[in-house]
Amino acid sequence: MWRNIAARRLYSPFILASLTPLCSNFLSNKAEAKSEDLPEKEWDANWDKREVEYLSSAVKKRTRHVGATRHILLVRHGQYEMNKDDRNQNLTTLGRLQSKLVGERLRALDVPIHCVWTSTMNRSIETSNIIMESIGKVVENYKQSDLLCEGCPRIPEPKLERYAPNSATVFQDSARIEAGFRLIFHRVIYKNEDLDESDHEEYNDEEKTDPEHYDVVVCHGNVIRYCLLRVLQLDTSAWLRFALNNGSITWVTIFADGKVSVRSVGDSGHIPKEHSTYS
Protein backbone atom coordinates (compact mmCIF):
# COMPACT_ATOMS: atom_id res chain seq x y z
CA MET A 1 0.00 0.00 0.00
CA TRP A 2 2.70 2.45 1.01
CA ARG A 3 4.57 1.66 -2.22
CA ASN A 4 1.51 2.58 -4.27
CA ILE A 5 1.01 5.80 -2.34
CA ALA A 6 4.69 6.74 -2.83
CA ALA A 7 4.43 6.03 -6.54
CA ARG A 8 1.31 8.20 -6.89
CA ARG A 9 3.07 11.05 -5.05
CA LEU A 10 6.23 10.72 -7.12
CA TYR A 11 4.42 10.83 -10.43
CA SER A 12 1.71 13.33 -9.51
CA PRO A 13 1.06 16.04 -12.16
CA PHE A 14 2.26 18.74 -9.76
CA ILE A 15 5.64 17.12 -9.17
CA LEU A 16 6.14 16.31 -12.83
CA ALA A 17 5.28 19.86 -13.81
CA SER A 18 7.81 21.25 -11.34
CA LEU A 19 10.56 18.88 -12.54
CA THR A 20 10.10 19.58 -16.24
CA PRO A 21 11.95 22.93 -16.37
CA LEU A 22 14.78 21.50 -14.21
CA CYS A 23 15.26 18.54 -16.55
CA SER A 24 15.07 20.84 -19.55
CA ASN A 25 17.78 23.14 -18.15
CA PHE A 26 19.99 20.17 -17.25
CA LEU A 27 19.76 18.66 -20.71
CA SER A 28 20.33 22.03 -22.33
CA ASN A 29 23.46 22.70 -20.23
CA LYS A 30 24.72 19.19 -20.91
CA ALA A 31 24.33 19.66 -24.64
CA GLU A 32 26.14 22.99 -24.51
CA ALA A 33 29.00 21.49 -22.49
CA LYS A 34 29.31 18.66 -24.98
CA SER A 35 29.53 20.95 -27.97
CA GLU A 36 32.09 23.21 -26.27
CA ASP A 37 34.28 20.64 -24.53
CA LEU A 38 34.28 17.97 -27.25
CA PRO A 39 34.72 19.75 -30.57
CA GLU A 40 34.03 17.59 -33.58
CA LYS A 41 36.64 17.16 -36.27
CA GLU A 42 35.99 15.84 -39.74
CA TRP A 43 37.99 12.83 -40.91
CA ASP A 44 40.70 13.73 -43.43
CA ALA A 45 40.21 11.11 -46.15
CA ASN A 46 43.50 12.09 -47.79
CA TRP A 47 45.60 11.87 -44.63
CA ASP A 48 48.27 9.72 -46.34
CA LYS A 49 48.12 11.63 -49.68
CA ARG A 50 47.02 8.43 -51.45
CA GLU A 51 43.31 9.12 -51.85
CA VAL A 52 42.42 8.41 -55.48
CA GLU A 53 40.28 11.53 -55.78
CA TYR A 54 43.26 13.77 -54.99
CA LEU A 55 45.89 12.08 -57.18
CA SER A 56 46.83 13.64 -60.47
CA SER A 57 45.65 11.96 -63.67
CA ALA A 58 49.25 10.98 -64.49
CA VAL A 59 49.66 9.21 -61.15
CA LYS A 60 46.30 7.47 -61.50
CA LYS A 61 47.50 5.95 -64.76
CA ARG A 62 50.65 4.65 -63.07
CA THR A 63 48.94 2.92 -60.15
CA ARG A 64 46.38 0.22 -59.49
CA HIS A 65 43.99 0.73 -56.61
CA VAL A 66 42.92 -2.66 -55.31
CA GLY A 67 40.88 -3.57 -52.25
CA ALA A 68 43.87 -4.48 -50.10
CA THR A 69 43.73 -4.12 -46.34
CA ARG A 70 46.93 -3.25 -44.53
CA HIS A 71 47.66 -4.49 -41.03
CA ILE A 72 50.46 -2.88 -39.01
CA LEU A 73 51.51 -4.77 -35.88
CA LEU A 74 53.47 -2.41 -33.65
CA VAL A 75 55.65 -4.26 -31.15
CA ARG A 76 57.37 -2.58 -28.24
CA HIS A 77 60.83 -4.06 -27.62
CA GLY A 78 61.55 -6.32 -24.67
CA GLN A 79 62.91 -5.25 -21.29
CA TYR A 80 66.40 -3.81 -21.58
CA GLU A 81 69.46 -3.01 -19.45
CA MET A 82 69.68 0.64 -18.42
CA ASN A 83 73.40 0.79 -17.87
CA LYS A 84 74.62 2.16 -21.22
CA ASP A 85 73.87 5.01 -23.55
CA ASP A 86 70.32 4.84 -24.86
CA ARG A 87 71.15 3.67 -28.39
CA ASN A 88 73.31 0.74 -27.28
CA GLN A 89 71.22 -0.76 -24.48
CA ASN A 90 70.72 -4.51 -24.86
CA LEU A 91 67.88 -6.78 -23.77
CA THR A 92 67.86 -8.45 -20.39
CA THR A 93 67.33 -12.20 -20.07
CA LEU A 94 63.68 -11.46 -19.38
CA GLY A 95 63.54 -9.13 -22.39
CA ARG A 96 64.76 -11.91 -24.65
CA LEU A 97 62.08 -14.22 -23.26
CA GLN A 98 59.42 -11.55 -23.87
CA SER A 99 60.60 -11.20 -27.46
CA LYS A 100 60.41 -14.95 -27.95
CA LEU A 101 56.82 -14.93 -26.66
CA VAL A 102 55.94 -12.16 -29.12
CA GLY A 103 57.29 -14.27 -31.97
CA GLU A 104 55.26 -17.26 -30.80
CA ARG A 105 52.15 -15.08 -30.66
CA LEU A 106 52.73 -13.88 -34.22
CA ARG A 107 53.33 -17.44 -35.37
CA ALA A 108 50.01 -18.46 -33.80
CA LEU A 109 48.24 -15.73 -35.78
CA ASP A 110 49.41 -17.57 -38.92
CA VAL A 111 49.33 -14.49 -41.17
CA PRO A 112 51.63 -13.75 -44.15
CA ILE A 113 54.12 -11.17 -42.92
CA HIS A 114 55.33 -9.01 -45.79
CA CYS A 115 57.97 -7.03 -43.90
CA VAL A 116 59.56 -6.66 -40.48
CA TRP A 117 60.66 -3.13 -39.66
CA THR A 118 62.86 -2.15 -36.73
CA SER A 119 64.55 0.92 -35.38
CA THR A 120 68.35 0.94 -35.36
CA MET A 121 68.63 0.90 -31.57
CA ASN A 122 70.14 -2.27 -30.09
CA ARG A 123 67.14 -3.31 -28.00
CA SER A 124 64.84 -3.03 -31.00
CA ILE A 125 67.15 -4.90 -33.40
CA GLU A 126 67.67 -7.68 -30.86
CA THR A 127 63.91 -7.96 -30.29
CA SER A 128 63.17 -8.15 -34.02
CA ASN A 129 65.79 -10.85 -34.58
CA ILE A 130 64.38 -13.03 -31.79
CA ILE A 131 60.85 -12.50 -33.11
CA MET A 132 61.83 -13.65 -36.61
CA GLU A 133 63.54 -16.73 -35.18
CA SER A 134 60.45 -17.58 -33.13
CA ILE A 135 58.07 -17.10 -36.06
CA GLY A 136 59.81 -19.96 -37.79
CA LYS A 137 59.17 -18.63 -41.29
CA VAL A 138 61.36 -16.74 -43.70
CA VAL A 139 60.36 -13.08 -43.80
CA GLU A 140 61.00 -11.70 -47.27
CA ASN A 141 61.75 -8.13 -46.22
CA TYR A 142 63.66 -6.91 -43.18
CA LYS A 143 64.29 -3.19 -42.90
CA GLN A 144 65.94 -0.93 -40.34
CA SER A 145 65.27 2.78 -40.03
CA ASP A 146 66.66 5.55 -37.84
CA LEU A 147 63.28 7.25 -38.18
CA LEU A 148 61.79 4.68 -35.79
CA CYS A 149 64.26 5.32 -32.96
CA GLU A 150 63.02 6.46 -29.55
CA GLY A 151 62.58 10.14 -28.79
CA CYS A 152 60.10 12.78 -27.71
CA PRO A 153 57.47 13.25 -30.45
CA ARG A 154 56.15 16.46 -28.91
CA ILE A 155 55.71 18.19 -25.56
CA PRO A 156 53.05 16.12 -23.75
CA GLU A 157 49.90 17.65 -22.36
CA PRO A 158 49.52 17.84 -19.43
CA LYS A 159 53.17 18.56 -18.76
CA LEU A 160 55.00 16.43 -16.21
CA GLU A 161 57.79 17.61 -13.94
CA ARG A 162 59.52 14.24 -14.11
CA TYR A 163 59.62 14.39 -17.91
CA ALA A 164 60.87 17.68 -19.28
CA PRO A 165 62.86 17.32 -22.54
CA ASN A 166 64.51 20.46 -23.81
CA SER A 167 63.01 22.28 -26.78
CA ALA A 168 65.97 21.54 -29.09
CA THR A 169 65.59 17.79 -28.53
CA VAL A 170 61.85 17.90 -29.17
CA PHE A 171 62.40 20.01 -32.29
CA GLN A 172 64.61 17.30 -33.80
CA ASP A 173 62.81 14.23 -32.48
CA SER A 174 59.35 15.39 -33.51
CA ALA A 175 60.34 15.87 -37.15
CA ARG A 176 62.12 12.51 -37.28
CA ILE A 177 59.28 10.55 -35.66
CA GLU A 178 56.72 12.22 -37.92
CA ALA A 179 58.84 11.15 -40.89
CA GLY A 180 58.83 7.61 -39.48
CA PHE A 181 55.05 7.73 -39.26
CA ARG A 182 54.78 8.78 -42.91
CA LEU A 183 57.17 6.02 -43.93
CA ILE A 184 55.12 3.25 -42.32
CA PHE A 185 51.52 4.39 -42.13
CA HIS A 186 49.67 4.55 -45.43
CA ARG A 187 47.19 2.52 -47.42
CA VAL A 188 48.34 0.04 -50.06
CA ILE A 189 48.53 1.29 -53.64
CA TYR A 190 49.97 -1.28 -56.03
CA LYS A 191 52.08 -0.38 -59.02
CA ASN A 192 51.20 -1.16 -62.60
CA GLU A 193 53.51 -4.00 -63.56
CA ASP A 194 54.03 -2.80 -67.11
CA LEU A 195 55.54 0.56 -66.15
CA ASP A 196 58.97 1.67 -65.08
CA GLU A 197 59.70 0.91 -61.42
CA SER A 198 61.22 4.37 -60.90
CA ASP A 199 57.90 6.02 -61.67
CA HIS A 200 56.34 4.65 -58.51
CA GLU A 201 58.88 5.09 -55.74
CA GLU A 202 57.22 8.23 -54.44
CA TYR A 203 53.96 6.45 -53.78
CA ASN A 204 54.59 2.86 -52.84
CA ASP A 205 57.11 0.05 -52.77
CA GLU A 206 54.71 -2.90 -52.51
CA GLU A 207 54.69 -5.26 -55.46
CA LYS A 208 52.31 -8.03 -54.41
CA THR A 209 48.55 -7.90 -54.64
CA ASP A 210 47.63 -9.84 -51.50
CA PRO A 211 44.18 -8.86 -50.18
CA GLU A 212 45.63 -8.77 -46.64
CA HIS A 213 48.99 -7.06 -46.15
CA TYR A 214 50.85 -7.51 -42.82
CA ASP A 215 53.84 -5.54 -41.54
CA VAL A 216 55.49 -5.97 -38.13
CA VAL A 217 57.12 -2.83 -36.76
CA VAL A 218 59.42 -3.29 -33.76
CA CYS A 219 60.19 0.02 -32.09
CA HIS A 220 59.60 2.05 -28.94
CA GLY A 221 56.88 3.17 -26.57
CA ASN A 222 56.91 6.88 -27.39
CA VAL A 223 56.98 6.23 -31.12
CA ILE A 224 54.10 3.74 -30.97
CA ARG A 225 51.92 6.00 -28.84
CA TYR A 226 52.47 8.98 -31.10
CA CYS A 227 51.82 7.01 -34.28
CA LEU A 228 48.64 5.50 -32.86
CA LEU A 229 47.14 8.90 -32.05
CA ARG A 230 48.40 10.33 -35.33
CA VAL A 231 46.81 7.64 -37.52
CA LEU A 232 43.51 8.06 -35.65
CA GLN A 233 43.74 11.82 -36.24
CA LEU A 234 43.56 12.50 -32.51
CA ASP A 235 45.48 15.03 -30.42
CA THR A 236 49.06 13.72 -30.39
CA SER A 237 49.94 15.76 -27.29
CA ALA A 238 48.09 13.01 -25.35
CA TRP A 239 50.76 10.40 -26.13
CA LEU A 240 52.05 10.24 -22.54
CA ARG A 241 48.60 9.57 -21.05
CA PHE A 242 48.79 5.81 -21.60
CA ALA A 243 51.49 3.17 -21.25
CA LEU A 244 52.66 0.09 -23.18
CA ASN A 245 54.29 -2.98 -21.64
CA ASN A 246 57.45 -4.50 -23.00
CA GLY A 247 56.65 -6.99 -25.76
CA SER A 248 53.13 -5.64 -26.22
CA ILE A 249 51.40 -5.61 -29.60
CA THR A 250 49.32 -2.73 -30.96
CA TRP A 251 47.35 -3.69 -34.07
CA VAL A 252 46.33 -1.02 -36.58
CA THR A 253 44.35 -1.76 -39.74
CA ILE A 254 44.27 0.61 -42.72
CA PHE A 255 41.57 -0.14 -45.29
CA ALA A 256 41.78 0.50 -49.01
CA ASP A 257 39.59 3.60 -48.69
CA GLY A 258 41.95 5.10 -46.09
CA LYS A 259 39.74 4.49 -43.08
CA VAL A 260 41.51 3.20 -39.98
CA SER A 261 40.61 0.72 -37.26
CA VAL A 262 42.57 -0.21 -34.13
CA ARG A 263 42.14 -3.85 -33.13
CA SER A 264 44.24 -3.77 -29.98
CA VAL A 265 46.41 -1.39 -27.97
CA GLY A 266 49.32 -2.69 -25.92
CA ASP A 267 48.11 -6.30 -25.98
CA SER A 268 50.44 -8.35 -23.77
CA GLY A 269 48.18 -11.30 -23.00
CA HIS A 270 50.78 -13.60 -24.55
CA ILE A 271 53.19 -12.71 -21.73
CA PRO A 272 52.50 -14.28 -18.31
CA LYS A 273 51.94 -11.88 -15.41
CA GLU A 274 55.21 -12.82 -13.73
CA HIS A 275 57.13 -11.90 -16.92
CA SER A 276 55.27 -8.68 -17.63
CA THR A 277 57.26 -5.44 -17.30
CA TYR A 278 57.22 -1.79 -18.21
CA SER A 279 60.63 -0.13 -18.46
Side-chain angles (χ1 to χ4, degrees):
M1 181 183 70
W2 292 109
R3 185 177 299 174
N4 293 335
I5 294 173
R8 285 197 295 271
R9 287 181 178 177
L10 178 61
Y11 297 108
S12 67
F14 174 77
I15 293 178
L16 290 175
S18 62
L19 288 176
T20 298
L22 293 176
C23 292
S24 178
N25 290 337
F26 171 76
L27 293 173
S28 175
N29 292 336
K30 186 176 181 181
E32 291 177 2
K34 182 178 180 180
S35 62
E36 292 176 1
D37 299 341
L38 300 173
E40 295 183 358
K41 180 182 177 182
E42 289 188 4
W43 177 260
D44 178 11
N46 195 32
W47 61 272
D48 62 348
K49 308 308 176 189
R50 288 168 170 81
E51 177 67 19
V52 180
E53 179 183 348
Y54 297 94
L55 295 178
S56 67
S57 58
V59 173
K60 289 180 182 179
K61 292 179 180 179
R62 299 203 306 265
T63 56
R64 280 183 293 135
H65 294 263
V66 296
T69 298
R70 186 171 192 194
H71 302 278
I72 301 175
L73 305 177
L74 298 155
V75 177
R76 188 180 177 218
H77 55 76
Q79 185 192 59
Y80 60 98
E81 301 172 348
M82 298 186 183
N83 56 1
K84 299 179 181 179
D85 65 283
D86 193 36
R87 174 170 286 276
N88 296 317
Q89 291 168 330
N90 297 318
L91 296 181
T92 63
T93 301
L94 178 56
R96 289 190 287 274
L97 173 60
Q98 292 168 342
S99 302
K100 181 176 182 291
L101 293 172
V102 173
E104 292 176 353
R105 170 57 178 155
L106 296 177
R107 182 177 62 191
L109 290 177
D110 193 25
V111 296
I113 297 175
H114 173 259
C115 181
V116 172
W117 289 85
T118 179
S119 86
T120 55
M121 302 181 87
N122 277 10
R123 58 186 182 269
S124 182
I125 294 174
E126 193 173 355
T127 298
S128 65
N129 288 334
I130 295 173
I131 287 175
M132 288 190 293
E133 290 176 5
S134 300
I135 289 176
K137 296 180 181 179
V138 176
V139 178
E140 295 182 4
N141 300 295
Y142 176 71
K143 300 180 181 180
Q144 299 182 6
S145 176
D146 290 330
L147 300 178
L148 300 174
C149 290
E150 186 64 304
C152 179
R154 63 174 296 184
I155 298 297
E157 186 62 42
K159 299 177 179 63
L160 300 178
E161 291 184 3
R162 59 182 173 82
Y163 184 79
N166 63 67
S167 57
T169 298
V170 177
F171 182 72
Q172 293 180 334
D173 286 353
S174 60
R176 174 180 53 76
I177 295 173
E178 171 63 20
F181 168 82
R182 299 186 186 191
L183 173 69
I184 300 294
F185 287 82
H186 57 78
R187 75 195 80 182
V188 177
I189 299 179
Y190 292 114
K191 297 175 290 190
N192 281 325
E193 297 174 350
D194 57 338
L195 295 174
D196 187 353
E197 294 283 328
S198 62
D199 292 339
H200 311 285
E201 292 178 356
E202 181 180 354
Y203 301 97
N204 195 290
D205 66 349
E206 280 85 16
E207 296 180 355
K208 295 186 176 180
T209 56
D210 298 325
E212 301 286 329
H213 188 100
Y214 292 84
D215 282 352
V216 174
V217 181
V218 182
C219 56
H220 310 269
N222 297 359
V223 177
I224 294 173
R225 290 180 285 186
Y226 172 82
C227 289
L228 181 62
L229 293 170
R230 178 75 168 78
V231 77
L232 290 174
Q233 300 185 24
L234 300 176
D235 184 0
T236 54
S237 69
W239 67 269
L240 200 52
R241 298 180 197 174
F242 62 104
L244 302 172
N245 282 348
N246 297 113
S248 62
I249 301 173
T250 298
W251 187 331
V252 177
T253 300
I254 303 175
F255 299 98
D257 61 0
K259 292 185 175 63
V260 175
S261 176
V262 176
R263 298 196 176 191
S264 66
V265 178
D267 178 15
S268 57
H270 49 281
I271 299 177
K273 181 179 178 180
E274 62 271 20
H275 296 148
S276 181
T277 61
Y278 172 82
S279 61

